[in-house]
Amino acid sequence: MDSLGQALEEIHDRIHEEADWGLPAQYIPELANVVPEQFAISVVTADGSCHSVGQAQRPFSIQSISKVFALIATLGRIGDQLWTRVGREPTRTAFDSIMLLETDSGRPPNPFVNAGAIVTTDALLSGREPRQALAEILGLIRAMAGTDDIYINNEVADSEKRTGARNKALAHYLASHGNLRNDPDLTLGTYFHQCAIEMTTEQLAMSGRVLAGLECAPRTISRMHAKRANALMMTCGHYDASGEFAFKVGLPGKSGVGGGILLIAPRKASIAIWSPGLNGYGNSHAGTRAAAMLARSTGWSVF
Ligand code: GLN
């Protein structure tokens, strides 16, 4: 076995030995039922080959990782206009916090906290039906991943719609500041469906090739947008644990409460990790540790 394959096997074994899984997201009923003792990593390298360990063909809810794709689609559509409505600064507050919205008059700090993602989806939705905006996000993901076998799980979206009081509060608060162009419930419905997209780690790692600038990647997005997405992943991709993640891993990453992490090693690899149990920041508990192990064993860091 080559050294990358061996490193992945070692990480897989260690994660299972440690058996320290955390709990799946409790506030989304469909996700609360997922068995926590699951783990997968897929790594696509510059030559286009994909190495995986664990349940790499099992679709999981990408949740906030979808915010990267929604951001790219929105930048492709309206470019820098987005930044009049959303900032580009990390926060020390939780992903679903409302606090900074009050101090900054309804302008979310970055496109990866929930409020910022709701505004981004609202911008993508403008002048269209939710199904058209969702088709654009799904189409972009499928093109980036190189497969059409990627779908939205409507039960997960409905489950979040029923229980998403916090996100409803955020959307209506944004609307009160005039920072939503559509009916808040229409924007929220689109956002919940975007978060309910399911992918395997293999598909997710494939979708990150263009972000990593790999030669095997299809040219689906502009180089500038790829760079900017990476910058935001590095500074804001793990919410109030982004500094810690940069310190331990040193690579741009985006987490989701489904337990996934998309990790980019520029010009070297695109990596997807999944383990559904979360830590206190809402990031994958075992997945975060696995990311640090992988960065250490490969020497991949942007620093
Ligand atoms: N759909 C989730 C929410 O809005 C996404 C959050 C996340 O993955 N961090 O709460």
Side-chain angles (χ1 to χ4, degrees):
M1 198 188 300
D2 60 4
S3 62
L4 177 60
Q6 203 173 331
L8 293 181
E9 291 291 344
E10 277 169 22
I11 293 167
H12 177 266
D13 292 350
R14 221 168 113 198
I15 290 293
H16 280 275
E17 274 158 30
E18 290 175 356
D20 184 9
W21 301 100
L23 269 187
Q26 298 297 296
Y27 72 99
I28 304 176
E30 283 286 318
L31 298 184
N33 297 328
V34 176
V35 177
E37 295 87 1
Q38 302 191 75
F39 179 74
I41 305 190
S42 296
V43 180
V44 178
T45 47
D47 63 4
S49 62
C50 182
H51 296 66
S52 295
V53 287
Q55 288 127 309
Q57 273 147 35
R58 194 176 159 178
F60 63 90
S61 197
I62 67 167
Q63 291 295 320
S64 284
I65 301 171
S66 69
K67 295 170 183 174
V68 176
F69 304 109
L71 173 68
I72 291 168
T74 308
L75 288 177
R77 185 162 275 265
I78 64 165
D80 286 340
Q81 280 175 45
L82 178 66
W83 308 118
T84 61
R85 299 174 59 187
V86 190
R88 306 190 286 261
E89 294 298 339
T91 67
R92 291 195 64 191
T93 52
F95 68 89
D96 58 354
S97 173
I98 202 163
M99 198 165 79
L100 293 171
L101 286 188
E102 183 148 29
T103 50
D104 294 344
S105 313
R107 183 173 183 255
N110 66 64
F112 291 158
V113 293
N114 283 10
I118 291 168
V119 167
T120 305
T121 299
D122 182 74
L124 190 64
L125 182 57
S126 278
R128 300 191 294 174
E129 295 293 319
R131 62 182 164 76
Q132 292 172 305
L134 288 166
E136 183 168 338
I137 297 174
L138 206 52
L140 176 71
I141 293 178
R142 287 171 173 171
M144 287 170 72
T147 171
D148 284 341
D149 192 23
I150 297 169
Y151 303 95
I152 295 172
N153 182 326
N154 287 315
E155 273 100 68
V156 173
D158 291 345
S159 160
E160 198 172 359
K161 207 170 184 174
R162 278 196 303 279
T163 57
R166 178 70 67 99
N167 282 323
K168 284 177 203 158
L170 289 172
H172 285 268
Y173 194 78
L174 289 164
S176 79
H177 277 283
N179 202 3
L180 288 191
R181 305 284 182 267
N182 304 280
D183 178 276
D185 293 315
L186 205 66
T187 295
L188 274 177
T190 313
Y191 169 75
F192 290 144
H193 280 82
Q194 156 203 321
C195 288
I197 292 171
E198 294 189 336
M199 295 171 81
T200 66
T201 55
E202 276 186 10
Q203 292 170 337
L204 190 58
M206 290 292 279
S207 75
R209 290 170 301 170
V210 63
L211 290 172
L214 301 186
E215 277 174 20
C216 58
R219 266 197 240 151
T220 39
I221 60 173
S222 83
R223 189 70 205 115
M224 184 178 74
H225 291 163
K227 272 193 200 178
R228 290 181 165 179
N230 273 288
L232 287 161
M233 288 167 77
M234 178 64 98
T235 52
C236 315
H238 282 70
Y239 314 112
D240 42 341
S242 299
E244 181 71 9
F245 194 85
F247 185 86
K248 293 244 173 85
V249 181
L251 296 172
K254 182 74 207 82
S255 66
V257 291
I261 299 175
L262 173 62
L263 197 59
I264 302 299
R267 286 165 292 283
K268 296 195 175 75
S270 168
I271 302 141
I273 305 178
W274 174 62
S275 184
L278 306 180
N279 62 23
Y281 299 99
N283 302 322
S284 176
H285 188 48
T288 302
R289 297 201 311 284
M293 290 177 204
L294 184 68
R296 215 175 308 128
S297 61
T298 56
W300 289 338
S301 163
V302 299
F303 301 111

